[in-house]
Amino acid sequence: MAKALIFGFDGVVADSEVLANTVLAEIVTELRVPTKVEDSYRCYLGKRFGEIITEIEKTVGRTLPPTFAAQFQARTLDSFRRALVPIAGVREFIAKFSHVHVGT
């Protein structure tokens, strides 16, 4: 019988949601629609990326450039590299499973 420890990333390992929504708010603001991170949560949280793009296009009143997704991803990853930190205690929790053999 295979055993596995599986957990979601956001809010369990690190809180990436605030960083991603901050980047999204900045980008929409740069598209000339002032947007706070709270607005980003309200408008985009829990949606698929395609739905987010559609919502942004409605908000700004025009089609986004084809490079939008790549630019958003690059800026978000840069934000993660600079500011993403583990949730308190997650390293210690994961270390408790260091004795578990991984493999087939």
Side-chain angles (χ1 to χ4, degrees):
M1 170 191 248
K3 294 183 181 181
L5 173 64
I6 301 172
F7 46 87
F9 182 84
D10 191 58
V12 176
V13 176
D15 191 5
S16 59
E17 202 67 53
V18 68
L19 296 174
N21 276 281
T22 298
V23 170
L24 203 48
E26 291 169 355
I27 289 172
V28 176
T29 298
E30 290 165 10
L31 293 169
R32 297 194 168 102
V33 176
T35 304
K36 298 177 184 173
V37 72
E38 294 83 8
D39 301 323
S40 183
Y41 280 127
R42 188 181 74 261
C43 296
Y44 313 118
L45 187 63
K47 294 184 178 176
R48 294 186 174 125
F49 193 65
E51 295 170 321
I52 292 170
I53 289 177
T54 299
E55 195 65 35
I56 293 171
E57 289 177 336
K58 286 181 195 173
T59 300
V60 300
R62 63 183 178 277
T63 302
L64 295 174
T67 57
F68 176 83
Q71 291 172 343
F72 171 71
Q73 182 180 32
R75 284 176 66 170
T76 301
L77 289 175
D78 182 56
S79 176
F80 288 176
R81 286 184 188 104
R82 286 183 286 107
L84 193 63
V85 295
I87 296 291
V90 75
R91 290 181 194 268
E92 295 79 8
F93 175 77
I94 292 171
K96 290 180 181 180
F97 297 92
S98 64
H99 66 284
V100 175
H101 173 71
V102 178
T104 56

